Amino acid sequence: KYGRVRIYTPDTSGTTQLNRASILLALSKTNVGDYTEDANAVSGPTITAAGPSLRSATVLFDNSYNLQQPKAKVRLSTYTWPNDAFLIARYTVINDTTISYPLYLGLALSPEPGGAYGGETVTYDATKKVAYFYVSGTAMYMGLKLVSGSPYSFHVLDYGVYSPSDPNSDAADDSTRYKMTALPGFDNSLTVGANGSIYNLNAGLVTIAHGDSSTFSVAYVWGTTLAAMQAAADSADVRYKKVFTSIQQTSQAVPQSTSLLQNYPNPFNPGTVIEFQLHHAGEVSLSVYDVLGREVAVLANGTLNAGTYRVPFDGRQLASGIYYYRLVAGSFIESKRMLLVK
């Protein structure tokens, strides 16, 4: 509920493989929003089972544990499917202050392979764009892939170097966290000692205006061999593009204003179409929510040019009922209601 992703293997004991993956909001060398010192729960977690396939979980957290800069909220939504060796996670950073924030965004991962710290090798696969870890001679490879774009940087440290005053906990200072998140470049492989490791895969610098937000998406992937993990990364790419980016531009003419149109048909079963118009190019998100405000689908997420767009929405995995779809494009925010009848 504070924004940590922890992953276990589904064995009889539920063995931990990834102790923690958490977002970093790097504003300066003295102001980095992180899991240990800053994150506090706002709402959730809530879990939505959309039929036999998709299951999503959503939490909203902020920095109110210590109220230091940057004062932002983060909505984390994870999406899983049966028998898939990956999960997709969307991180939406919300700036609800009165100032703009230039933030380096990244994720810090603390491996715990086989339920124990230490001995792992951490490396970056430049071809698959996956930052992953493994212990030589064991059947577990686990990694992170930025599916919404290309990564900005990858950095890894032995945990004793990262947190020298206390290698058994996260006692790093913001200067270290900032370097791990904001510095460019891709580190070489590192095999660590008994203290274990921590590594970052970063999305890069974004400037979030007051009242605006920025979203990036990743896939946590795993496999019993390197080839299996690489295949999972490929599958996660395909799933992300199919589920989260099925958007079509129908006109490049610049409309007079940004608008969100009513879906058609409405009511619908099981499919409908949502159209919207953009007066300016920029970051756009279009999501579907149930009546409790839980996100059940992401229809658009990224940078779009000005023009007219249509997005098909398939509700076959959802129960009958009222749903809302919301378009966020810069300062423009609008929601409309639709009805699924089966």
Side-chain angles (χ1 to χ4, degrees):
K1 66 181 180 179
Y2 305 107
R4 172 174 65 181
V5 172
R6 173 178 281 178
I7 299 178
Y8 307 84
T9 44
D11 50 32
T12 55
S13 60
T15 305
T16 308
Q17 301 293 340
L18 176 66
N19 173 268
R20 169 169 62 91
S22 54
I23 192 170
L24 291 174
L25 313 176
L27 178 65
S28 69
K29 293 181 180 179
T30 55
N31 294 105
V32 178
D34 76 281
Y35 175 83
T36 303
E37 295 182 337
D38 301 277
N40 206 20
V42 175
S43 63
T46 59
I47 298 176
T48 303
S53 296
L54 172 66
R55 179 179 291 267
S56 65
T58 300
V59 295
L60 181 66
F61 55 98
D62 63 10
N63 75 316
S64 60
Y65 186 74
N66 71 4
L67 294 177
Q68 298 299 310
Q69 298 285 356
K71 296 181 180 179
K73 290 185 174 68
V74 180
R75 179 179 292 107
L76 165 61
S77 297
T78 62
Y79 304 87
T80 60
W81 296 264
N83 304 315
D84 282 343
F86 61 84
L87 69 86
I88 291 176
R90 296 180 68 243
Y91 294 83
T92 299
V93 182
I94 305 163
N95 179 5
D96 55 3
T97 71
T98 59
I99 61 175
S100 293
Y101 278 131
L103 297 175
Y104 286 94
L105 304 180
L107 289 170
L109 280 71
S110 173
E112 193 181 350
Y117 296 107
E120 70 269 15
T121 297
V122 184
T123 188
Y124 178 72
D125 181 338
T127 301
K128 298 294 183 181
K129 299 182 179 179
V130 178
Y132 68 95
F133 63 90
Y134 65 94
V135 176
S136 182
T138 65
M140 175 53 66
Y141 291 75
M142 182 167 290
L144 180 70
K145 180 180 178 66
L146 187 69
V147 291
S148 59
S150 295
Y152 165 74
S153 64
F154 160 75
H155 298 295
V156 57
L157 288 176
D158 185 286
Y159 214 91
V161 176
Y162 170 77
S163 181
S165 64
D166 185 359
N168 294 315
S169 67
D170 189 342
D173 57 28
D174 276 357
S175 175
T176 299
R177 296 190 181 102
Y178 184 83
K179 292 175 183 177
M180 292 280 285
T181 312
L183 289 182
F186 292 79
D187 290 355
N188 295 324
S189 299
L190 178 66
T191 300
V192 299
N195 292 321
S197 64
I198 189 162
Y199 71 93
N200 270 40
L201 188 66
N202 302 308
L205 177 65
V206 296
T207 298
I208 309 176
H210 61 89
D212 207 348
S213 64
S214 180
T215 298
F216 67 95
S217 299
V218 300
Y220 295 91
V221 301
W222 52 88
T224 56
T225 65
L226 175 58
M229 188 207 68
Q230 291 172 328
D234 291 340
S235 297
D237 254 341
V238 172
R239 181 64 59 83
Y240 175 77
K241 292 174 182 177
K242 179 179 179 181
V243 175
F244 297 89
T245 59
S246 57
I247 184 170
Q248 305 164 9
Q249 185 171 15
T250 59
S251 174
Q252 295 182 353
V254 178
Q256 293 183 346
S257 61
T258 297
S259 62
L260 177 64
L261 307 180
Q262 186 64 50
N263 67 298
Y264 62 90
N266 188 42
F268 66 97
N269 178 29
T272 189
V273 173
I274 298 171
E275 290 188 344
F276 61 91
Q277 297 178 327
L278 299 177
H279 182 60
H280 298 288
E283 290 286 327
V284 174
S285 68
L286 177 65
S287 297
V288 179
Y289 301 86
D290 64 14
V291 292
L292 298 179
R294 298 174 299 195
E295 186 179 65
V296 298
V298 179
L299 306 183
N301 176 38
T303 302
L304 297 177
N305 294 321
T308 301
Y309 295 84
R310 68 187 302 272
V311 186
F313 174 60
D314 188 344
R316 72 182 67 228
Q317 296 177 344
L318 300 176
S320 296
I322 296 172
Y323 293 88
Y324 297 87
Y325 57 99
R326 183 179 69 171
L327 176 68
V328 179
S331 60
F332 177 89
I333 302 176
E334 187 173 345
S335 298
K336 290 188 180 295
R337 189 175 75 166
M338 58 184 176
L339 178 61
L340 172 60
V341 179
K342 294 185 175 181

